């Protein structure tokens, strides 16, 4: 639909639709995995693989060829990575005792951001601990000894760190034990960091620093030239999987807000008003909201403006928790916050998130939003790279509204 406001226009469209092939879809049950591998998929979280994961199960878990998966956000690519890691483990485990026969193997997971690396370290530690698998972070912030690197079976790294390590690797390095390299967000080949990823791929295919060339599993958002990327990665036709936006777990509706004001100040005010209107409508519908902005400073400015606007319009109770226990938690946590902006807005149920915050402040915003105590979260794009935060009704609907520099989900 199309709607015209005083200072901006709204155009909405539906991106993708419910999957039309569900009727012919037979999900793979977790019970199909060997007994030793089942606990990597918590029974409380899922009993079956989804459509995309089920399609990749024969190739990812039962074979060793290179794989390229292009699928929308939220399609469950982490479970695909888990299947690839379990495939490596299957070569080194006693299935009867769940004990590793050998521990001198490595699987590398490359993620583009330190925040995402840290998140994946926790995720894989939680899911593989029962097998005695050690997971370690490999970034510029981590300080692992040679012994710790040798003892870890799964290393989660940034592209730059892994590039440096493989450049300097020799026959005595732990790199020779690497059997699997998973590259998340492979579409960044087209980004400024593309040459780093190209070097990693080329070095892996060449295989000089490895006992044998490792298996490559690349994960990506939808790519227009996925066949070219597959050829670059030496992925056979049977290992190439492309799923467009119609395969999203839930339909995504998008609304584009075009700001019609020309003057800078009026344009900024129009963006703020559009942002508030969409945020207000979402919280009235019972949804939590994530607002993406383009800079760290803008997170604080936008959050403070929204706070004042909610007070001014007498709608503050829509985002501020009414029960005593929740308010007490927010009051207590706000006293321990380091960032001045976050301290001022947290008590009313608004949070901010960006790489400039201390680790404790970032984690606090994530945890309070995940627990439903923070209703509105203003963030830079860092959060969009993979932090597992969802709006309260994400299973039913997801919204993305482009506000000329701000996006509401």
């Amino acid at each position: 639909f199309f709607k015209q406001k005083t200072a901006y226009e709204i155009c909405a469209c539906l991106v993708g639709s419910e999957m039309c092939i569900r009727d012919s879809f037979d999900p793979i049950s977790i019970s199909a995995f060997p007994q030793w591998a089942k606990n990597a998929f918590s029974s409380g979280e899922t009993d079956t693989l989804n459509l995309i994961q089920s399609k990749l199960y024969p190739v990812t878990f039962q074979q060793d060829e290179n794989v390229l998966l292009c699928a929308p956000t939220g399609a469950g690519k982490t479970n695909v990575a888990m299947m690839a890691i379990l495939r490596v483990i299957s070569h080194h485990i006693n299935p009867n005792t769940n004990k590793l026969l050998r521990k001198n193997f490595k699987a590398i997971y490359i993620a583009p951001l330190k925040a995402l690396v840290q998140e994946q370290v926790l995720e894989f530690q939680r899911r593989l601990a029962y097998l005695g698998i050690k997971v370690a972070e490999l970034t510029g912030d981590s300080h692992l000894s040679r012994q710790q690197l040798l003892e870890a079976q799964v290393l989660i790294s940034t592209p730059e760190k892994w590039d440096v390590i493989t450049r300097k690797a020799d026959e005595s390095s732990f790199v020779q034990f690497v059997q699997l390299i998973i590259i998340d967000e492979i579409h960044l080949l087209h980004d400024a960091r593309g040459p780093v990823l190209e070097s990693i791929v080329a070095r892996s295919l060449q295989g000089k620093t490895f006992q044998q060339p490792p298996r490559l599993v690349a994960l990506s958002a939808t790519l227009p030239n996925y066949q070219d990327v597959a050829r670059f990665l030496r992925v056979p036709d049977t290992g190439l999987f492309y799923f467009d936006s119609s395969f999203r777990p839930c339909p995504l509706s998008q609304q584009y807000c075009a700001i019609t004001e020309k003057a800078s100040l009026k344009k900024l005010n129009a963006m703020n008003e559009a942002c508030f209107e969409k945020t207000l409508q979402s919280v009235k519908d019972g949804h939590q909201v994530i607002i993406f902005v383009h800079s760290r400073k803008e997170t604080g400015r936008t959050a403070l403006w929204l706070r004042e606007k909610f007070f001014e319009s007498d709608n503050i109770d829509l985002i501020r928790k009414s029960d005593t226990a929740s308010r007490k938690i927010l009051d207590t946590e706000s006293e321990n916050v380091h960032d001045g902006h976050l301290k001022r807005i947290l008590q009313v149920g608004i949070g901010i998130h960006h790489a400039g915050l201390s680790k404790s402040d970032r984690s606090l915003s994530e945890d309070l939003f995940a627990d439903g105590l923070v209703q509105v979260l203003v963030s830079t794009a860092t959060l969009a790279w993979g932090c597992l935060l969802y709006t309260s009704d994400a299973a039913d609907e997801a919204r993305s509204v482009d506000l000329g520099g701000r996006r509401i989900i």
Side-chain angles (χ1 to χ4, degrees):
F1 68 88
F2 179 82
K3 185 186 296 185
Q4 187 155 8
K5 299 284 186 174
T6 304
Y8 59 92
E9 300 170 346
I10 302 175
C11 178
C13 60
L14 181 67
V15 180
S17 58
E18 292 291 343
M19 287 179 279
C20 59
I21 60 175
R22 287 188 188 273
D23 293 340
S24 59
F25 165 51
D26 293 323
I28 300 294
S29 173
I30 299 302
S31 61
F33 286 87
Q35 191 63 40
W36 63 267
K38 292 178 182 177
N39 287 342
F41 304 90
S42 175
S43 58
E45 296 175 3
T46 181
D47 294 322
T48 64
L49 300 178
N50 66 21
L51 186 150
I52 291 175
Q53 295 160 2
S54 297
K55 294 284 187 182
L56 270 87
Y57 170 81
V59 174
T60 309
F61 183 70
Q62 298 178 329
Q63 300 176 34
D64 292 307
E65 61 189 35
N66 291 350
V67 172
L68 171 61
L69 168 61
C70 303
T73 301
K77 293 191 281 290
T78 299
N79 272 352
V80 174
M82 176 59 74
M83 287 191 287
I85 292 174
L86 290 174
R87 174 64 178 178
V88 174
I89 296 173
S90 70
H91 299 311
H92 305 276
I93 196 169
N94 184 329
N96 298 318
T97 63
N98 284 9
K99 300 294 184 181
L100 294 175
L101 300 173
R102 291 180 300 278
K103 295 186 177 181
N104 60 340
F105 65 91
K106 298 279 186 286
I108 310 299
Y109 185 107
I110 297 175
L113 295 176
K114 292 179 183 178
L116 185 53
V117 167
Q118 293 163 357
E119 180 181 301
Q120 295 293 47
V121 167
L122 295 176
E123 176 73 3
F124 287 114
Q125 279 178 340
R126 177 181 68 86
R127 297 175 63 174
L128 294 172
Y130 76 99
L131 292 173
I133 297 294
K134 291 187 177 181
V135 182
E137 174 187 339
L138 194 58
T139 66
D141 293 341
S142 62
H143 302 283
L144 298 179
S145 66
R146 177 179 175 84
Q147 186 63 30
Q148 289 173 315
L149 289 172
L150 289 172
E151 290 177 353
Q153 287 80 43
V154 178
L155 293 169
I156 317 295
S157 176
T158 54
E160 290 77 11
K161 185 66 174 181
W162 186 245
D163 181 44
V164 170
I165 287 176
T166 51
R167 281 180 187 274
K168 299 179 179 180
D170 54 32
E171 293 181 357
S172 63
S173 170
F174 73 92
V175 174
Q176 65 176 313
F177 300 119
V178 173
Q179 298 179 9
L180 168 69
I181 297 179
I182 300 170
I183 305 177
D184 200 0
E185 312 293 355
I186 191 65
H187 55 269
L188 291 179
L189 280 167
H190 186 59
D191 191 73
R193 305 164 82 185
V196 176
L197 290 177
E198 287 180 4
S199 297
I200 290 172
V201 172
R203 214 169 287 125
S204 302
L205 294 172
Q206 191 179 36
K208 285 187 176 180
T209 55
F210 307 92
Q211 287 182 347
Q212 58 184 13
R215 181 189 193 186
L216 292 179
V217 174
L219 310 174
S220 173
T222 50
L223 284 169
N225 62 331
Y226 59 93
Q227 293 173 320
D228 294 333
V229 176
R231 282 194 292 271
F232 171 64
L233 297 171
R234 305 296 189 270
V235 174
D237 292 342
T238 53
L240 174 58
F241 297 87
Y242 176 84
F243 301 90
D244 61 23
S245 58
S246 65
F247 285 84
R248 291 186 61 89
C250 60
L252 174 69
S253 63
Q254 292 185 342
Q255 294 185 16
Y256 298 91
C257 298
I259 307 300
T260 56
E261 294 288 357
K262 302 298 183 183
S264 297
L265 185 58
K266 290 184 177 180
K267 184 184 297 184
L268 177 61
N269 289 334
M271 289 169 60
N272 285 335
E273 289 293 340
C275 180
F276 173 71
E277 179 184 324
K278 291 301 175 185
T279 302
L280 179 62
Q281 185 59 55
S282 292
V283 296
K284 281 183 176 180
D285 292 341
H287 300 285
Q288 288 175 283
V289 178
I290 303 177
I291 302 169
F292 290 102
V293 296
H294 288 299
S295 70
R296 299 176 184 181
K297 288 184 179 180
E298 196 63 27
T299 59
R301 291 172 183 165
T302 301
L304 287 171
W305 190 91
L306 287 172
R307 175 182 179 274
E308 297 307 316
K309 192 67 176 179
F310 271 103
F311 272 114
E312 181 185 314
S313 61
D314 201 25
N315 286 304
I316 194 64
D317 288 336
L318 289 173
I319 58 173
R320 183 172 56 186
K321 290 296 182 180
S322 58
D323 60 289
T324 305
S326 296
R327 287 197 178 190
K328 180 65 175 176
I329 292 173
L330 290 174
D331 289 344
T332 303
E333 295 293 354
S334 64
E335 294 175 359
N336 301 321
V337 167
H338 299 93
D339 184 79
H341 286 130
L342 185 57
K343 187 182 289 288
R344 293 173 60 186
I345 60 178
L346 195 59
Q347 292 175 320
V348 299
I350 301 177
I352 60 174
H353 190 287
H354 58 75
L357 295 177
S358 65
K359 186 175 180 180
S360 60
D361 283 359
R362 285 200 310 271
S363 297
L364 180 63
S365 291
E366 294 170 12
D367 293 341
L368 292 177
F369 187 85
D371 293 339
L373 295 174
V374 166
Q375 295 298 304
V376 179
L377 186 62
V378 185
S379 172
T380 56
T382 302
L383 189 69
W385 282 103
C387 291
L388 299 178
L389 296 181
Y390 306 96
T391 55
S392 57
D393 290 316
D396 299 324
E397 182 178 18
R399 293 189 181 90
S400 175
V401 184
D402 198 327
L403 298 167
R406 291 173 176 79
R407 286 186 300 160
I408 297 180
I409 291 183

